Every structure is written in C-alpha cells, then in structure tokens.
Amino acid sequence: MGLSRKYGTAITEGPTPADVAGQAALPYPDGWAAVAFSEELTRGKVLTRPLAGEDVVLYRLGTGALRAVKPYCPHLGAHLGLGKVDGEDLVCPFHLFAFGPDGACVRTGYETAPPRSPLGRYPVCEVNGAVFVWRHHDGRAPDWTVPEWHVVGHRPARSGVWEMAGHAQEVIENSVDLGHFATLHGWRRAETGGPVRYDGAEFRLSMRAHESAPVLGEFTVDVHVEGYGLAALHVDVHTPRVGLRMCTTVLPTAIGPNRMQLRQLNRLTFDEPARLPAPLARAVSRAATRVLDRAVFKASCAFTAADFPVWHHKQYVQPPRLAHGDGPIGPFRRWARRFYPPQPVTASASAGRTDTHPGSGSGSGSGSGSGSGAEVTPGADGIPSPAPGGSSRRDGTPGRVGAPEPGLPERPERPSPH
C-alpha cells in the first residue's frame, strides 16, 4: 500500500533555531537598544518596532523631536501604531483621542473634556544615525548614555538590518572572542593591544589582524572597538597598506526570547596619498571612496554575516569550557552581569558552590580572562562580582525577566537605502 497523498514528503531536518529549541538562558538586557535608523523616521512618521517581547511605537513630531510610547491607547486599548501625527500630537485611530508631546491627552474625538490618561513613554535618543529606546526591568531612568561617535569620510552611511534567532549578548561578546576571528572569519593571526578596559557600562579593546590577499600579499588591519551596554558596538578599522579607514556600527536588539534584530551602519574613506599634491591627493581619496564604497560595505556585511548561522542556532552555555586562545570571555561575562536582574539566592550559592549566574565566566573548566585555560576567580580581573541575590550593576541597580515565546523565525533583510 502506498503512502497517503495527504502526507507531504518534506521532513524537518538541520539545526533547530535558538528561539525554537527551548527556553532562553539569558533574560532581556537593561539599557539602550536601537530600534530604527534615523532616516526611517521622517516628520509625521509613525513606526512600530519590537523590543523585549513588546511593541514600541515611535513617531517624529513636526518640530523633529522623537517620541517612544507604549503601544496601547489608555482610553480603550487601540494600537497607537495605527495612529497618525497631527502637528505635535499623536492621534489614536479609534476615537481620535489626541496626545501631546508630554503624553497627556489634549482632546477627544467628541470635543469633550479629555481624560487624565497619559501615554506610557519610554526614554528615547537619536545618535550616530540610529534611534535608541531605553528600557529597564524595574522602570528606572537612564543611568548611562550612548555617546556621539566620530564620522569618517564625506559620503552618506550605508546601512542594513536583519532578523534572526539569537541573543544580543552573543553579538557583543564576539568582540572579545579572539579565537573565532581565525576559525570563522579567516584571520591568519590576531593579537590584542592590551587588556580589555571596562568603565561602567562601557568597554574598549584594540586588536591587530594579520591577513593576506592575492594582490596585496600580507598586510595588517588595526581594529579598535568601543562597546556600550549589550546593544551597541562602534568599530574603527584601518588598513594602512591601502589607506582604508572604516567605521562600523553594530546594533543588536533583543526582541523576544532568543530572538533579535541586528542593524549595521558603515562609513568609509581612503587616506590621501602623502606623495601627491594636496588637491590631487584629496581628489584621489574621494574617487577611491566613491568607487569602492558599495563593494567595501558588502564585504563588511559579509564579514558580519559569517556569524549569522552560528547566532541563529547556538545556545548560551554557562559555565563555558574555555581553552587557551579563546580570549577574555570570562571577564566580559562578569561585566555583562550588570545589565541583568540579580539571581535569587540558591542552596548551592549559600553553600559556597560555583556561581552559575548566566553572566558569569567562572565554573569548572572555564578559562581565565586571558584565555589561558586556568580557572577564573570571580573579581580577579577587577570586575566586581555581585553578592548572591544582590546587585548586578556597579551602581547597585538590578537587571530583567523574559517574555512570551515569539512566532517562528524569519530572516528578512533591509536593503541599503543608498
């Protein structure tokens, strides 16, 4: 007897995406998270974006100022992402209740007295070509900022956005995972310019990569990374052999349990040849930038995209079994604790057993901050370890819980607008 035609012949195979495989091991991080590029929010525009399992409604007033609010009208719950901007007011699509720049209801659709029902607002900032929204698990106000980064070149930035399974911390952690630059990205050799420097919600590190190409032969690439929280990386790249200078902004945003959106923005320029007269050197630099801008951006995106299949399917392992050559992953994870809620006191913690906090880098078999393979002693790198059940941040504030499981994953890509 043959198989019934109602059964398909396709079977499920291959790795299971991280957001489908099981419960997220890491909660949502506190802090700023990028939810849009600035160019997406023109005057009067209303956008809805996911953040930490909820919708955030963004809109730009006639003055150019930005607002980020909770999605449901306090009147009868209509989704404000379907509303419109009228001058300086956001108007609900249901009963035309209007809300002013401060979130207060200023009028109804019936010309009656407006109720005292303000919108729930999020802190929002616009910097480096992106729109950031602040969220904290206990609703506290921002206690750090994303600074304005320098800009290279004279051409507009190129940008792209993707959605996939994975957690924002995995993206930021990649910057200290020295081993994967050789095994996944093909660097012949990488060396650090000193220890990673941590300062509150920021960290900085520098690297030098040794590479080779058919025409160029062997050459070096100098990389300087600045990280802010678990949602923003600014990477300066300089290739002296060809005079390329590039700034890349990488912005992972947690949108659901083990699910994220990833934004990238690039600017580049070429050094002016020192042996040419100034006007000619400037013309050569601009011509090279104009001709190679798109190709270099595509190469930069391809470099980032090499990690996509890994992020999309990996699970957060704690404690990790680190080896010599991994890089300072342990200290990074201890620093990352400050962006999460404190863990409750457990019997094993009170008995003095190994710390298994999701942000910890310690544990049996875990490596030291230098990737030596030695056991990590919490706090040995100068990063304070919170007491069990206590604060996970330097200023004493705690960190966030998960949210409902999202739908099945998709991987749309936003084409470059330039």
Side-chain angles (χ1 to χ4, degrees):
M1 177 182 291
L3 292 174
S4 170
R5 291 183 179 273
K6 71 177 181 179
Y7 295 107
T9 57
I11 62 172
T12 299
E13 58 182 339
T16 301
D19 58 342
V20 177
Q23 184 67 29
L26 286 169
Y28 298 128
D30 291 327
W32 294 101
V35 291
F37 291 116
S38 295
E39 63 188 20
E40 297 179 88
L41 274 166
T42 55
R43 293 177 189 268
K45 182 85 176 206
V46 179
L47 288 178
T48 301
R49 291 292 159 83
L51 176 62
E54 300 177 350
D55 283 351
V56 174
V57 175
L58 308 164
Y59 58 100
R60 194 182 293 277
L61 305 175
T63 58
L66 284 175
R67 293 293 183 270
V69 299
K70 294 188 176 181
Y72 300 108
C73 180
H75 173 220
L76 281 174
H79 200 296
L80 295 170
L82 302 174
K84 64 179 182 180
V85 176
D86 180 14
E88 300 304 294
D89 303 330
L90 178 65
V91 181
C92 174
F94 198 11
H95 297 89
L96 302 184
F97 280 38
F99 299 88
D102 61 354
C105 186
V106 295
R107 65 179 182 275
T108 71
Y110 330 124
E111 298 184 355
T112 55
R116 294 181 179 178
S117 301
L119 298 179
R121 295 176 55 189
Y122 293 98
V124 62
C125 72
E126 187 173 18
V127 63
N128 307 315
V131 176
F132 293 82
V133 169
W134 172 275
R135 59 157 300 284
H136 195 282
H137 76 282
D138 64 7
R140 68 185 57 208
D143 53 13
W144 55 276
T145 60
V146 178
E148 185 173 354
W149 297 316
H150 67 271
V151 175
V152 300
H154 64 282
R155 296 182 61 81
R158 292 184 179 273
S159 59
V161 60
W162 305 268
E163 183 175 321
M164 68 197 78
H167 194 279
Q169 179 176 320
E170 304 277 21
V171 179
I172 306 300
E173 185 175 295
N174 255 28
S175 60
V176 300
D177 182 355
L178 301 183
H180 97 287
F181 288 115
T183 58
L184 185 63
H185 295 291
W187 286 7
R188 294 182 59 204
R189 182 165 55 92
E191 56 201 26
T192 60
V196 181
R197 301 183 300 279
Y198 296 93
D199 182 12
E202 305 175 17
F203 73 91
R204 293 178 174 83
L205 74 151
S206 60
M207 295 178 284
R208 170 165 288 179
H210 297 263
E211 299 194 64
S212 63
V215 176
L216 295 177
E218 294 189 2
F219 61 96
T220 60
V221 181
D222 294 321
V223 182
H224 300 276
V225 179
E226 296 179 11
Y228 298 88
L230 295 179
L233 285 175
H234 181 247
V235 185
D236 272 318
V237 177
H238 182 214
T239 308
R241 184 74 175 272
V242 296
L244 170 65
R245 295 183 185 271
M246 181 171 65
C247 287
T248 300
T249 304
V250 180
L251 305 167
T253 298
I255 63 173
N258 269 342
R259 191 156 190 85
M260 64 179 175
Q261 290 180 348
L262 180 68
R263 292 173 172 83
Q264 179 168 318
L265 186 145
N266 285 54
R267 291 183 174 89
L268 67 89
T269 189
F270 283 87
D271 293 336
E272 297 179 7
R275 289 178 289 183
L276 296 178
L280 181 57
R282 189 178 306 111
V284 169
S285 170
R286 289 181 172 248
T289 303
R290 183 178 63 256
V291 171
L292 297 174
D293 188 26
R294 182 180 295 274
V296 174
F297 173 70
K298 290 179 65 176
S300 177
C301 288
F303 186 92
T304 306
D307 288 285
F308 288 0
V310 177
W311 293 332
H312 187 65
H313 297 99
K314 82 186 299 288
Q315 291 288 306
Y316 184 81
V317 173
Q318 181 58 38
R321 301 310 195 245
L322 299 178
H324 179 74
D326 282 329
I329 293 174
F332 174 88
R333 289 193 175 186
R334 286 194 290 278
W335 169 80
R337 296 185 205 183
R338 70 191 60 229
F339 304 106
Y340 296 113
Q343 294 293 295
V345 176
T346 62
S348 61
S350 61
R353 297 182 183 176
T354 300
D355 179 10
T356 57
H357 187 287
S360 171
S362 61
S364 175
S366 62
S368 72
S370 62
S372 65
E375 182 179 355
V376 172
T377 302
D381 57 330
I383 309 297
S385 298
S391 169
S392 61
R393 301 170 66 131
R394 287 180 187 253
D395 59 2
T397 61
R400 160 97 202 181
V401 295
E405 189 73 12
L408 293 177
E410 299 177 2
R411 291 186 62 183
E413 179 175 344
R414 177 176 176 267
S416 170
H418 304 297

